Amino acid sequence: ALGTLSLHLRSRAREETSINMAKSIMSDEGADAFIFITAIIGVIFAWFQYKLVARVSLTGGQNTLTNSGLDTSKLIVIYDAIRDGADSFLRAEYTICAYFIAAFGIIVLLMTSYVEKEFHIDQGGLTAISFVAGGITSIISGLIGMKVAVFANARTTVMAAGPNPWTDAFNTAFRAGSVMGFSLCGLSMLVLYILAHLFAVHFKDWDVIGANGEANKDALHLMEALAGYGLGGSSIALFGRVGGGIYTKAADVGADLAGKVVSGIPEDDPRNPATIADNVGDNVGDVAGMGSDLFGSFAEATCAALVVAAQSGSLIAQGGWAGLMFPVAISGGGILVCLVCSFIATHIQPVKKEVDIEKVLKVQLGATTILLTAVVYILAYIFLPSKFQIQAVSGTVINFTPTKAWGCTIAGLWSGCMIGFITEYYTSHSYKPVREVAQACETGAATNIIYGLALGYKSAILPVTLLSVVVYLSFYLGDMYGVALAALGMLSNLSTCLAIDVYGPICDNAGGIAEMAEMPETVREKTDALDAAGNTTAAIGKGFAIGSACLVGLALFGAFVTRAGLNLASVSLVSPLIFASLIFGAMIPYWFSAMTMKSVGQAANEMVKEVARQFREIPGLLEGTPGHAPPDHAKCIAISTDASLREMIAPAVLVMTTPLLFGIFLGVDAVAGLLAGAISSSIQMAISASNTGGAWDNAKKYVEKGAVVINGVVQRKGSELHKAAVVGDTVGDPLKDTSGPALNIVMKLMAILSLVFADFFRSINDGAGLFDLPRN
């Protein structure tokens, strides 16, 4: 009888709404096929790219240094040391993460089971399963990226010494980056979609529409359980970003201070005991950490869109499963576009000389953005019904169309591209701002730091303005669903963005290996040129990651407000509870940054003392006397590893417990204020910190190029001006590679935590919290 009634209600609702609205063109089966096939294509293409990189041999064969008459034995020793150091760190870090997943998974199970003052163990259990799946997928994503980056770094050095160095070395690094980009996107889509189908078996009435056209609670419970996937991914990303960031900058700052500043030896000099740890850090921080971070962004943006969409009865009635899964389809289209465009860099317009490198990388970003503009339009009209209604935060109902969905998505897509190039303008020494910072070094490190800080603050103006416009436009067109689509639009060419991001650390490592292995100067010149382009595109990648984190955080905030049942009066700034919580939330990024910055400083201090000890106690090491004992790299690696694992706990506790405590004690209104303050403050701080550090880094490189002339004298390495530039670069390292990027996670993790536990918060005094303070 119940089954008959369910079918009757479903049929009645669809008959009533089909008068004014056409159904989706795409069938549910077609949507399944498209999403599954594109995800599998991404994974297969990643494997194909890996096999191409693996063709480069370090010990013999067609592409090896031995054919150029050079000995590779020292290179292989260095490569093995970097690989072992990276493996040991990630093994230790992911062991801690495994314990965390198990422990916090139990908390997720218990707290998400308590809904509407009753225990629903099925909802809590499925949310816990998706949390564990998200955490494991994040670990796998970071591990794949780190493994392939380490695998490719020495091979890039090999190709830089070959007969066709520009094309072969670039293709090796770019293809290795593509392995991570496509495997991460394909794997994350595949796991998410499999979970959605499995959960739909339990919440089998997800497509049953009420008599008044409202969505069934099963649809919302299905998507809320899926939100655990984003929580798991973002939680591991926090450990990866903070732990990896502390590791890499402790080694980098320590190596720079002890080597370049104190002892006056070049960067990556084989005499410096901290160089191996420095190169390990490039992989565990810039690769594994970045991968986990952007995996979290994808998972969270998708979950936010699905939670909001699940409350639209008309979308479910007319669009069915295909309409609900439109956010996932955007990512599937992105994989196909990025795959096609990757051949531009390796086959259609390959790198043949130094000036081609940066141009080819930028063409990748531009081409994927242009093609996706068309592809998203097609997907919107295929997957979505021609017209449907969305529940707005204000409580009203708004009409939504495929054209509006396309507008929201491409607003995010193009703003991400523009933010990337704005970031490049403020961090590349090809432009005026960084050159001004380099020139400021004439009067010492103090003026260098003053100019760099000013540049960072100024660089936040245009990106924040763009984000504000995108948020207003997407919210105007589609309320919080539109904001979530804008976030997914910014992440739609994630495969290419990740490939370019990973390319940079690989080339950096390749240059370090060439220096430590004492390769010919021509090899280091090639790797330095590849690395210089990588630094520029890395800045673009950081801007893209920060911008997408802001939109993802806002999308999750919207999903939380919707799920918590808050209305405009509830989240009014006139409310003292909201305003007080907002101010407190705006302080969180400063507290978090203080922890991470101090951790880098403490670990770097230990590193400097250890390097100084080895220079002092190992006869002939600093002087480079022939036959001296080798430096103790293992000790420096241990310092970075221990410091990062020890120091990453406190920032994680701060970010994860704050929204939980606010929700339990102060209620959902206070959580809304907390999130608004944390997101708005984090975005400003993340942009300024990352760009300040990037500008100091490239100002130093500009000086090292011999481009700064004072009173007719060219300022090079070893000059007083160069020493001032090195100080700025060293100060900026934890800003651009630890605190700045880690603030991405602050924005997202606090919001996804609040969304996942929204029902639990509402169960405590009807959302007022244990303190039961007066509400608007």
Side-chain angles (χ1 to χ4, degrees), residues 278-323:
D278 186 9
N279 282 277
V280 169
D282 291 335
N283 297 290
V284 300
D286 295 341
V287 178
M290 170 69 83
S292 295
D293 179 2
L294 290 175
F295 162 73
S297 292
F298 160 80
E300 290 158 329
T302 306
C303 291
L306 293 175
V307 168
V308 177
Q311 299 180 71
S312 170
S314 63
L315 173 59
I316 296 172
Q318 297 305 304
W321 185 257

Side-chain angles (χ1 to χ4, degrees), residues 328-391:
V328 188
I330 293 173
S331 301
I335 287 178
L336 296 181
V337 168
C338 292
L339 188 154
V340 171
C341 290
S342 69
F343 290 103
I344 297 176
T346 55
H347 292 80
I348 298 172
Q349 194 183 52
V351 172
K352 295 182 179 179
K353 52 187 182 295
E354 181 177 349
V355 294
D356 291 342
I357 304 169
E358 195 170 313
K359 179 181 71 174
V360 167
L361 292 172
K362 290 180 180 178
V363 165
Q364 285 291 297
L365 293 172
T368 54
T369 301
I370 292 169
L371 283 180
L372 273 167
T373 302
V375 168
V376 170
Y377 185 84
I378 296 170
L379 290 175
Y381 272 87
I382 291 176
F383 276 80
L384 294 173
S386 60
K387 186 179 181 181
F388 59 98
Q389 282 80 43
I390 290 176
Q391 191 78 22

Side-chain angles (χ1 to χ4, degrees), residues 241 290 293-294 297 501 540-550 744:
R241 268 299 196 189
M290 170 69 83
D293 179 2
L294 290 175
S297 292
D501 277 335
I540 295 175
K542 282 190 176 73
F544 159 83
I546 293 168
S548 64
C550 175
N744 298 349

Side-chain angles (χ1 to χ4, degrees), residues 239-253:
F239 290 110
R241 268 299 196 189
V242 175
I246 292 172
Y247 184 107
T248 183
K249 290 304 109 179
D252 192 3
V253 173

Side-chain angles (χ1 to χ4, degrees), residues 277-588:
D278 186 9
N279 282 277
V280 169
D282 291 335
N283 297 290
V284 300
D286 295 341
V287 178
M290 170 69 83
S292 295
D293 179 2
L294 290 175
F295 162 73
S297 292
F298 160 80
E300 290 158 329
T302 306
C303 291
L306 293 175
V307 168
V308 177
Q311 299 180 71
S312 170
S314 63
L315 173 59
I316 296 172
Q318 297 305 304
W321 185 257
L324 270 181
M325 291 298 121
F326 171 65
V328 188
I330 293 173
S331 301
I335 287 178
L336 296 181
V337 168
C338 292
L339 188 154
V340 171
C341 290
S342 69
F343 290 103
I344 297 176
T346 55
H347 292 80
I348 298 172
Q349 194 183 52
V351 172
K352 295 182 179 179
K353 52 187 182 295
E354 181 177 349
V355 294
D356 291 342
I357 304 169
E358 195 170 313
K359 179 181 71 174
V360 167
L361 292 172
K362 290 180 180 178
V363 165
Q364 285 291 297
L365 293 172
T368 54
T369 301
I370 292 169
L371 283 180
L372 273 167
T373 302
V375 168
V376 170
Y377 185 84
I378 296 170
L379 290 175
Y381 272 87
I382 291 176
F383 276 80
L384 294 173
S386 60
K387 186 179 181 181
F388 59 98
Q389 282 80 43
I390 290 176
Q391 191 78 22
V393 175
S394 62
T396 59
V397 174
I398 62 172
N399 290 321
F400 203 61
T401 63
T403 303
K404 288 183 177 181
W406 174 74
C408 294
T409 308
I410 66 162
L413 173 66
W414 280 95
S415 66
C417 185
M418 287 188 282
I419 287 171
F421 286 114
I422 291 168
T423 304
E424 182 209 2
Y425 173 75
Y426 280 104
T427 56
S428 171
H429 58 55
S430 300
Y431 305 103
K432 183 180 177 181
V434 171
R435 294 185 177 186
E436 286 182 343
V437 174
Q439 201 72 33
C441 296
E442 178 186 0
T443 50
T447 45
N448 177 29
I449 290 173
I450 291 169
Y451 267 70
L453 289 172
L455 179 149
Y457 298 145
K458 189 176 181 180
S459 70
I461 297 171
L462 287 176
V464 171
T465 302
L466 266 175
L467 288 170
S468 301
V469 171
V470 170
V471 169
Y472 180 84
L473 177 65
S474 57
F475 190 90
Y476 176 78
L477 292 175
D479 207 74
M480 283 303 178
Y481 186 60
V483 176
L485 291 181
L488 283 167
M490 193 175 284
L491 292 164
S492 57
N493 56 353
L494 180 58
S495 299
T496 291
C497 291
L498 265 174
I500 293 172
D501 277 335
V502 176
Y503 159 88
I506 290 172
C507 292
D508 191 4
N509 261 210
I513 290 172
E515 180 79 22
M516 288 184 284
E518 299 176 300
M519 294 290 165
E521 190 63 30
T522 53
V523 178
R524 183 66 202 242
E525 288 173 1
K526 304 293 189 303
T527 56
D528 279 351
L530 293 166
D531 181 30
N535 283 334
T536 299
T537 54
I540 295 175
K542 282 190 176 73
F544 159 83
I546 293 168
S548 64
C550 175
L551 288 182
V552 170
L554 286 171
L556 292 167
F557 172 75
F560 166 76
V561 168
T562 302
R563 188 63 199 114
L566 298 175
N567 53 38
L568 292 179
S570 301
V571 292
S572 171
L573 285 179
V574 179
S575 164
L577 180 60
I578 292 285
F579 196 76
S581 300
L582 188 148
I583 293 173
F584 189 91
M587 174 272 300
I588 294 294

Side-chain angles (χ1 to χ4, degrees), residues 7-26:
L7 288 172
H8 172 72
L9 290 175
R10 187 184 312 177
S11 174
R12 177 184 171 187
R14 293 198 175 189
E15 287 173 0
E16 290 176 352
T17 52
S18 62
I19 297 173
N20 299 317
M21 291 174 282
K23 294 182 180 180
S24 299
I25 296 173
M26 179 68 76

Side-chain angles (χ1 to χ4, degrees), residues 691-766:
N691 290 350
T692 291
W696 278 328
D697 184 9
N698 283 316
K700 180 202 69 176
K701 287 181 170 62
Y702 189 63
V703 173
E704 291 174 345
K705 283 181 62 178
V708 177
V709 180
I710 304 296
N711 297 326
V713 179
V714 176
Q715 305 295 310
R716 298 187 183 276
K717 288 184 178 181
S719 65
E720 290 301 315
L721 186 141
H722 178 250
K723 290 178 181 177
V726 169
V727 171
D729 175 39
T730 307
V731 172
D733 275 336
L735 287 173
K736 71 181 176 67
D737 290 322
T738 306
S739 296
L743 287 171
N744 298 349
I745 316 294
V746 174
M747 289 184 262
K748 298 180 296 183
L749 183 53
M750 291 179 68
I752 189 70
L753 270 166
S754 303
L755 172 61
V756 169
F757 294 112
D759 282 338
F760 175 73
F761 297 156
R762 291 182 68 186
S763 300
I764 304 173
N765 287 330
D766 294 323

